[in-house]
Amino acid sequence: LYREGKRFRIGGQYSKAAERVFGIGELGGRDFLSTLAGRIPEAPLNSAESYLDLMFKESVHAGSLKDLNPLAEVPITVTTEDEIRTKNLEFTFSRVMKERKVEHLMATVADVTEARQLREQILENEQKAQTQMERLFRILHIDPAMLAEFIEETRLDLAVVDALLRRETEEAALSSQLETMFRSVHKVKGNADLLGLSFYAEKLHAFEDSISRTLKKPGGASASDFLPLLFAFNEVTAVLEDIQELVSRLLDFHSRFGPSTGAEEDSMVRTLQALAGRLSSEMGKPVRLDTTAFDAAHINSA
């Protein structure tokens, strides 16, 4: 890059690979910042002019500018004959000195799109693994059989919601349809909360609020309001799938290394005591749970 007033001109000697990276032929002689204008975000483009200006000032130590490079990694829109796509480019600049003066800058650009995508995928997988681990810790204290029953009941309730979301209905009947959906979701949320599945109860509560806002919409709900509800519903069902997968692992573990009947009874009793405790707190009433005659085998054989 050569400085010409306020312009930074691309020199005539450059790698042909740069044309592929930029999606532009004949880069030599072009103004560098004008070439990027409209193709990268405005903020780094505005900062790039000041940064390059400092790079041409011998009084500013180059090492101190290394971490200030606004083009260290930027998304850029590349247009070809076949498509318009976004890449991630990494620019680095170094000074070429002549008689203690900055003659020009040597610019290097690399396409780091795949590396960025890989980093994002790794981060997404790590976050998913962390989420699943947290959910697993939440459900470990619940009897797997009770969880399986919860999942089965939840599937039935959500099947009703799914059918209502996809049904073609006259606008006059949409409010009634939404109210039915609200009741089904509220029931599932209550069951999730009682079991201690707070992460799922929170997701259901958010969906419940979306239905409520749609019901209270001035002028009434319209068919177009059901599309965002369908997207929110898909998130609810996705969490249920995760819960079912975790429960399947637990049931498989129990089948391979299952606890004794006494241990199973203890687990179920603890779960029932937790449910009773939550109900007691919610209702503001004392609860005494008598499990002296409790036999888990009767439930298993039912």
Side-chain angles (χ1 to χ4, degrees), residues 1-3 56 94-97 102-106:
L1 297 182
Y2 293 88
R3 182 172 184 173
F56 272 95
S94 57
R95 291 168 172 170
V96 177
M97 309 294 291
V102 180
E103 184 180 41
H104 60 269
L105 302 180
M106 180 65 72

Side-chain angles (χ1 to χ4, degrees), residues 153-171:
E153 289 185 4
T154 299
R155 283 193 172 281
L156 294 175
D157 288 320
L158 295 186
V160 173
V161 177
D162 185 47
L164 291 172
L165 281 170
R166 300 176 189 278
R167 179 187 300 172
E168 293 185 6
T169 308
E170 295 183 0
E171 292 197 355

Side-chain angles (χ1 to χ4, degrees), residues 34 43 48 58-59 62 70-71 94 114 125 147 167 198 204 208 224 236 256:
S34 296
E58 296 83 1
S59 59
L71 302 180
S94 57
E114 291 186 3
N125 290 341
L147 276 169
R167 179 187 300 172
S198 57
L204 289 160
E208 190 180 57
S224 61
V236 168
R256 293 171 183 266

Side-chain angles (χ1 to χ4, degrees), residues 49-290:
E49 182 175 359
S50 300
Y51 174 78
L52 294 175
D53 182 57
L54 291 173
M55 285 294 293
F56 272 95
K57 290 184 176 180
E58 296 83 1
S59 59
V60 180
H61 190 268
S64 63
L65 297 174
K66 184 177 180 180
D67 295 333
L68 301 178
N69 182 3
L71 302 180
E73 186 175 327
V74 290
I76 183 171
T77 303
V78 178
T79 304
T80 64
E81 294 181 358
D82 301 324
E83 61 179 348
I84 299 176
R85 59 187 292 253
T86 299
K87 296 181 178 180
N88 288 93
L89 301 185
E90 180 183 69
F91 292 87
T92 56
F93 304 91
S94 57
R95 291 168 172 170
V96 177
M97 309 294 291
K98 185 176 181 180
E99 297 179 357
R100 297 186 179 182
K101 296 288 184 181
V102 180
E103 184 180 41
H104 60 269
L105 302 180
M106 180 65 72
T108 303
V109 58
D111 186 343
V112 294
T113 305
E114 291 186 3
R116 181 182 178 88
Q117 290 174 344
L118 181 59
R119 289 199 305 271
E120 291 175 349
Q121 184 63 50
I122 291 173
L123 180 60
E124 182 181 341
N125 290 341
E126 288 177 348
Q127 291 174 339
K128 183 176 180 180
Q130 179 66 24
T131 298
Q132 286 194 330
M133 185 62 69
E134 291 173 355
R135 289 174 179 174
L136 180 61
F137 285 144
R138 293 289 184 90
I139 69 175
L140 275 174
H141 72 285
I142 307 172
D143 180 71
M146 295 183 69
L147 276 169
E149 183 179 355
F150 165 77
I151 290 172
E152 184 61 29
E153 289 185 4
T154 299
R155 283 193 172 281
L156 294 175
D157 288 320
L158 295 186
V160 173
V161 177
D162 185 47
L164 291 172
L165 281 170
R166 300 176 189 278
R167 179 187 300 172
E168 293 185 6
T169 308
E170 295 183 0
E171 292 197 355
L174 289 179
S175 292
S176 175
Q177 197 165 315
L178 286 166
E179 288 171 356
T180 302
M181 289 166 50
F182 184 91
R183 287 193 294 271
S184 295
V185 175
H186 188 73
K187 173 190 171 185
V188 176
K189 184 186 77 171
N191 290 339
D193 200 33
L194 286 173
L195 279 179
L197 301 174
S198 57
F199 62 90
Y200 194 41
E202 290 169 4
K203 179 68 70 175
L204 289 160
H205 183 70
F207 182 44
E208 190 180 57
D209 283 346
S210 298
I211 298 174
S212 181
R213 286 193 298 271
T214 305
L215 270 169
K216 297 175 182 178
K217 186 177 178 182
S222 63
S224 61
D225 294 324
F226 275 55
L227 185 58
L229 290 178
L230 184 59
F231 288 133
F233 176 74
N234 288 338
E235 293 182 7
V236 168
T237 55
V239 177
L240 181 64
E241 294 295 334
D242 285 345
I243 295 173
Q244 184 172 21
E245 182 182 350
L246 291 171
V247 172
S248 296
R249 293 179 185 177
L250 286 175
L251 289 174
D252 181 62
F253 180 82
H254 273 250
S255 66
R256 293 171 183 266
F257 312 100
S260 63
T261 303
E264 184 176 352
E265 285 190 10
D266 289 343
S267 174
M268 296 188 72
V269 167
R270 286 196 301 270
T271 300
L272 291 171
Q273 288 173 337
L275 290 175
R278 290 193 189 92
L279 279 173
S280 175
S281 298
E282 290 179 5
M283 305 301 294
K285 295 182 180 293
V287 171
R288 184 178 65 85
L289 183 65
D290 184 0

